[in-house]
Amino acid sequence: MITVEEARALLFDLVSPLEAEEVPLADAAGRVLARDVAATRDQPPFAASSMDGYAVKSAEVELHAMFKVIGEAAAGHAFGGLVGAGQAVRIFTGAPVPEGADFVVIQEDVDRKGDLITITDAPGTKDNIRRAGVDFTKGTTISAPCLLRAEDVALLAAMNIPQVPVARKPVVALISTGDELVMPGDEPGPDQIIASNTFGLKALLEGLGAHVRVLPIARDTVASLETAFGLAHGADLVVTIGGASVGDHDLVGDVAQGLGMERAFYKVRMRPGKPLMAGRLGDAAMVGLPGNPVSAMVCGYLFLAPMIRRMLGLDDIVPPLRRARLTAPLAANGPREHYMRATLDENGIAACEDQDSSLLSVLALADALLMRPPDDPARDVGDEVTYLPL
Ligand code: AMP
Ligand code: MG
């Protein structure tokens, strides 16, 4: 059986970065910038006042100095004239500093009578002027690839980039399999349960920037699975849930292979998630997840998320791991890498009591997957362990 790392390497070979498309700036948040973009202007485009006050010549600024106010500059309304000796222009934040002036005395340091001002408080040496281009200049670039956050979108807007080149969203088709499953909101029979992983995985993958199509539940028959695979046509990644073990009703592997799937691997030396399968199916990558809800979600974090990030063209595709100290002891681990549901607090990390891979209530309470290497010995309170934050 291969390791998690080996499985990941094989999965990455099944996908490649997708092409770019342009989206309006207003839709760019959460997308991945596909090409470097450059500012088309300086910001600010002129020397601007950073305070409300009076624009004067710095050489004349001293306590008790007097000036005659000759006009006004507000944001969006420049003062067209020249500031001469002994003159001042009333100025507001964001207004262009008028020609001839190179200092803004803040209004709190000034006493005004009619159109005469006197500096009544020591004005200090800070000129209260933002130089032209101090934020960025024409040609300043944002480098791709870059996951665009709210603050990046604000910067793109300031740079006057109304259309943004981003990686196309990977299209993922999710196929739940099992005679026992019904959709949330449907009326389950006495021997049925609600399909849950499907929706957890949809949320996870859409949060990463994928477009997820939830297909109708496939029944445990060859015909139903073949229909579902047919509906998945056009997806970049086809993900099945369940039916991946070796029971009489586990048909996913056989059906996928019957449809021409070239298998990359089957089974990973990990817990939960051992019966994971993957390969190429036509133009798509195909991943068969185990059906147990926690197993499916753990495989989503460990394998599907990095595949999505690779398709989006990101550099750091494997989620970074962190270290914390145990606040409760751990028994020795078995021969498989174990991803334990765990909770974090200010003192450290503790594995949840029940690690059964069907327990979504435990997963929902967890903040982290605590990673145990194969054959890791028993651990004590205070020992450092590695975890993946959820
Ligand atoms: P399987 O891998 O098909 O043998 O499924 C393993 C377990 O996971 C069984 O108890 C299934 O009922 C359950 N299961 C499979 N698919 C789903 C799903 N989409 N949502 C919730 N439970 C599921
Ligand atoms: Mg099943």
Side-chain angles (χ1 to χ4, degrees), residues 43-172:
Q43 176 59 25
F46 42 76
S49 180
S50 64
M51 299 294 277
D52 293 337
Y54 294 86
V56 296
K57 291 183 178 300
S58 59
E60 299 179 338
V61 172
E62 58 184 9
L63 198 55
H64 308 309
M66 289 178 72
F67 301 86
K68 183 170 186 234
V69 180
I70 58 164
E72 182 177 300
H77 302 276
F79 174 76
L82 186 74
V83 178
Q87 295 181 329
V89 163
R90 177 72 170 124
I91 195 163
F92 300 96
T93 305
V97 175
E99 218 181 306
D102 58 358
F103 197 98
V104 173
V105 185
I106 63 172
Q107 61 192 25
E108 290 81 352
D109 291 344
V110 164
D111 183 49
R112 179 165 179 170
K113 291 215 168 51
D115 58 5
L116 281 183
I117 59 166
T118 307
I119 297 179
T120 51
D121 282 276
T125 53
K126 189 168 168 284
D127 64 12
N128 301 308
I129 292 173
R130 299 186 179 123
R131 309 281 144 218
V134 69
D135 194 0
F136 53 82
T137 52
K138 186 174 170 175
T140 299
T141 58
I142 304 179
S143 300
C146 158
L147 179 61
L148 296 171
R149 306 158 304 159
E151 43 277 35
D152 302 311
V153 173
L155 180 57
L156 286 164
M159 289 178 162
N160 200 14
I161 299 171
Q163 293 287 121
V164 187
V166 295
R168 174 170 73 72
K169 284 189 174 211
V171 177
V172 181

Side-chain angles (χ1 to χ4, degrees), residues 176-177 180-181 193-198 241-245 250 290-293:
S176 282
T177 74
E180 76 282 28
L181 301 176
I193 60 168
I194 316 297
S196 54
N197 314 341
T198 333
I241 303 161
S245 304
D250 294 324
N292 263 317

Side-chain angles (χ1 to χ4, degrees), residues 22 63 118 122 211 231 269 331 355:
E22 292 222 329
L63 198 55
T118 307
H211 173 72
L231 292 172
R269 202 179 336 127
Q355 294 288 327

